[in-house]
């Protein structure tokens, strides 16, 4: 038997009771009981069971190096669409944190008063909030995220590393984005490129199935494929399915037109373009698009049948030959007239604006 006193109150526990000066370096989940309040429950450590591509390992090491020398809390935002690699990075970073001797505490429910409980833990520890924008989403009556702002500021005892993942930046409190004092790092996750898809599928598929890889890359130029999609495609291909058969059965469907950038290259070397055009590259309908010249002025209207396009791996884009393009007169009848003889037109999937500033 063990008797534990807290002030004038004594509680009785069995002989399995252990007392620690600090939390051991393992993984926990925050739980809450109406009778006893908050407590931590040990859970299996987060592990990464598949190869990690890109700069993920280097970024994770960078975060832990910074946390070691920071004199205050360190915050990391991981943002991007679902299935794009945020959770994989969070697991990788959490696993490395435990290896480095830090406890990792997962917060996956919005318990009232949880910010105060987190603040009461006075040691160096890592907190992971998965889908923070969803779990602590605001409504008309309250903004749960605002209760964390002073905690993220780092005014409490015990330095902490806060990791939050979010699918939509618009779902985060305005005082969290563009506030490096609260969140020093913001890693934005994008869709895998053609080369990253090739590397991923090459690792996943045996030699006899790798002829299908280029089909997937061509498809990805039309449709945004995240790693969840690629994992499912790889499974089907490895089972002996052709890509054409697999895509008919998988839960990857054409629910809306995606946005593309169109660039028309002219025989005389000129270029006109149109950005963020909504197209269905699987349609057989004729499409008409107004295009601008290099000065941003409306130049011509082009008409084309998307079904006549082909994928050009050298340009990593869908290409329409000049003979498949009809150029109409200047829609604004500008004074400057010229002959617009099409050579070819590229169609590339538009990606979101880079959230970080580019200096070169």
């Amino acid at each position: 038997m063990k008797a534990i006193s807290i002030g004038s109150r004594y509680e009785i526990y069995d002989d399995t009771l252990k007392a620690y000066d600090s939390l051991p370096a393992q993984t926990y989940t925050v739980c809450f009981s109406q009778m006893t309040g908050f407590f931590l429950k040990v859970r299996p450590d987060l592990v990464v069971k598949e190869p990690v591509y890109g700069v993920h390992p280097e970024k994770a090491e960078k975060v832990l190096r910074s946390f070691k020398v920071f004199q205050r809390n360190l915050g990391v935002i991981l943002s991007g669409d679902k299935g794009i690699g945020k959770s994989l990075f969070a697991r990788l970073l959490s696993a490395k944190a435990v290896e480095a001797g830090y406890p990792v505490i997962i917060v996956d429910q919005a318990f009232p008063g949880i910010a105060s409980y987190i603040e009461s833990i006075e040691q160096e520890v890592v907190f992971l909030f998965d889908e923070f924008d969803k779990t602590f989403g605001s409504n008309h009556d309250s903004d749960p995220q605002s209760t964390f702002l002073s905690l993220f500021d780092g005014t409490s005892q015990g330095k902490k590393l806060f990791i939050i993942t979010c699918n939509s930046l618009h779902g985060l409190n305005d005082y969290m984005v563009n506030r490096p004092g609260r969140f020093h790092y913001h890693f934005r996750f994008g869709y895998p490129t053609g080369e990253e898809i090739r590397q991923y599928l090459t690792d996943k598929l045996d030699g006899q199935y790798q002829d299908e890889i280029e089909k997937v890359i061509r498809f990805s130029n039309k449709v945004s494929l995240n790693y969840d999609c690629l994992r499912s495609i790889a499974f089907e291909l490895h089972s002996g399915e052709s890509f054409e058969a697999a895509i008919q059965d998988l839960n990857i469907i054409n629910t809306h037109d995606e946005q593309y950038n169109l660039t028309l290259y002219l025989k005389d070397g000129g270029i006109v373009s149109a950005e963020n055009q909504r197209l269905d590259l699987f349609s057989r309908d004729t499409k008409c698009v107004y295009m601008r010249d290099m000065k941003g002025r409306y130049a011509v209207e082009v008409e084309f049948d998307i079904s006549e396009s082909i994928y050009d791996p050298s340009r990593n884009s869908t290409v329409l030959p000049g003979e498949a393009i009809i150029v109409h007169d200047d829609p604004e009848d500008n004074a400057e007239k010229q002959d617009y003889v099409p050579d070819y037109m590229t169609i590339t999937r538009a990606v979101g604006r880079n959230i970080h500033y580019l200096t070169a």
Side-chain angles (χ1 to χ4, degrees):
M1 184 189 80
K2 302 288 185 183
I4 300 297
S5 67
I6 304 175
S8 60
R9 174 182 169 184
Y10 283 77
E11 294 188 11
I12 305 300
Y13 296 88
D14 62 26
D15 289 332
T16 62
L17 176 70
K18 295 181 180 180
Y20 299 89
D21 293 328
S22 61
L23 288 170
Q26 53 191 1
T27 307
Y28 309 84
T29 300
V30 176
C31 301
F32 180 80
S33 167
Q34 294 286 352
M35 298 295 293
T36 59
F38 286 101
F39 63 96
L40 298 177
K41 184 176 182 179
V42 177
R43 54 153 294 159
D45 289 335
L46 298 175
V47 296
V48 179
K49 297 181 179 179
E50 56 186 294
V52 179
Y53 300 91
V55 297
H56 285 28
E58 291 84 355
K59 296 286 188 183
E61 294 290 352
K62 177 180 180 178
V63 170
L64 292 178
R65 284 198 307 270
S66 297
F67 183 54
K68 185 176 181 179
V69 299
F70 256 49
Q71 299 302 311
R72 54 184 174 82
N73 291 345
L74 174 63
V76 181
I77 297 174
L78 311 177
S79 69
D81 293 341
K82 293 180 179 179
I84 212 68
K86 305 184 301 296
S87 295
L88 176 65
F89 182 86
R91 291 200 304 272
L92 176 66
L93 181 52
S94 298
K96 287 182 175 292
V98 172
E99 290 176 3
Y102 300 110
V104 173
I105 301 175
I106 299 173
V107 183
D108 56 9
Q109 295 190 58
F111 298 116
I114 193 170
S116 297
Y117 174 71
I118 292 173
E119 192 170 15
S120 70
I121 300 176
E122 298 183 355
Q123 74 175 89
E124 293 188 357
V125 64
V126 177
F127 283 93
L128 171 59
F129 299 81
D130 199 16
E131 294 191 338
F132 185 83
D133 53 329
K134 177 181 177 181
T135 305
F136 295 94
S138 59
N139 52 52
H140 296 296
D141 299 324
S142 64
D143 178 14
Q145 295 182 21
S146 63
T147 63
F148 289 93
L149 295 180
S150 61
L151 174 67
F152 293 151
D153 277 338
T155 57
S156 61
Q157 295 294 319
K159 186 175 67 173
K160 300 173 179 66
L161 170 58
F162 295 108
I163 308 166
I164 68 171
T165 73
C166 72
N167 297 321
S168 172
L169 286 177
H170 299 293
L172 294 184
N173 186 289
D174 290 340
Y175 294 99
M176 296 171 65
V177 180
N178 274 334
R179 294 297 181 103
R182 290 193 174 108
F183 285 89
H184 186 76
Y185 292 119
H186 187 162
F187 299 139
R188 181 69 175 175
F189 292 77
Y191 287 90
T193 64
E195 186 54 40
E196 289 169 339
I197 291 173
R198 181 179 290 106
Q199 180 184 1
Y200 180 89
L201 293 179
T202 299
D203 289 345
K204 294 292 184 181
L205 299 176
D206 292 338
Q208 66 266 36
Y209 306 119
Q210 294 192 3
D211 289 344
E212 300 292 309
I213 292 177
E214 292 304 318
K215 298 178 184 178
V216 182
I217 295 174
R218 288 197 296 270
F219 186 80
S220 73
N221 190 62
K222 298 180 179 181
V223 175
S224 300
L225 294 178
N226 58 34
Y227 282 104
D228 284 348
C229 295
L230 293 178
R231 188 178 298 108
S232 298
I233 290 171
F235 177 85
E236 294 297 315
L237 297 181
H238 202 271
S239 300
E241 289 271 2
S242 67
F243 176 68
E244 292 85 354
I247 203 64
Q248 292 296 316
D249 297 332
L250 286 171
N251 186 22
I252 304 172
I253 58 176
N254 188 13
T255 58
H256 61 277
D257 294 350
E258 297 209 28
Q259 290 187 317
Y260 300 88
N261 296 330
L262 282 61
T263 305
L264 177 60
Y265 295 87
L266 305 171
K267 292 285 190 181
D268 64 2
I271 297 175
V272 291
S273 61
E275 295 183 346
N276 299 316
Q277 298 295 308
R278 291 200 171 275
L279 301 174
D280 179 1
L281 295 194
F282 301 94
S283 169
R284 296 187 178 276
D285 297 334
T286 298
K287 183 73 175 180
C288 293
V289 174
Y290 289 134
M291 309 194 85
R292 296 176 182 269
D293 61 19
M294 300 299 289
K295 295 181 180 179
R297 302 170 301 185
Y298 280 117
V300 293
E301 181 186 36
V302 297
E303 180 180 346
F304 55 91
D305 182 349
I306 298 176
S307 65
E308 297 187 46
S309 63
I310 59 173
Y311 177 74
D312 185 346
S314 66
R315 297 188 176 96
N316 194 30
S317 61
T318 300
V319 175
L320 268 170
E323 56 268 22
I325 302 168
I326 301 174
V327 178
H328 297 290
D329 291 338
D330 183 344
E332 290 192 347
D333 195 26
N334 287 335
E336 293 185 25
K337 294 288 187 179
Q338 68 179 89
D339 292 330
Y340 292 92
V341 181
D343 187 8
Y344 64 93
M345 182 170 71
T346 61
I347 305 174
T348 57
R349 191 158 42 82
V351 297
R353 178 174 61 90
N354 195 324
I355 64 170
H356 293 292
Y357 295 106
L358 301 177
T359 59

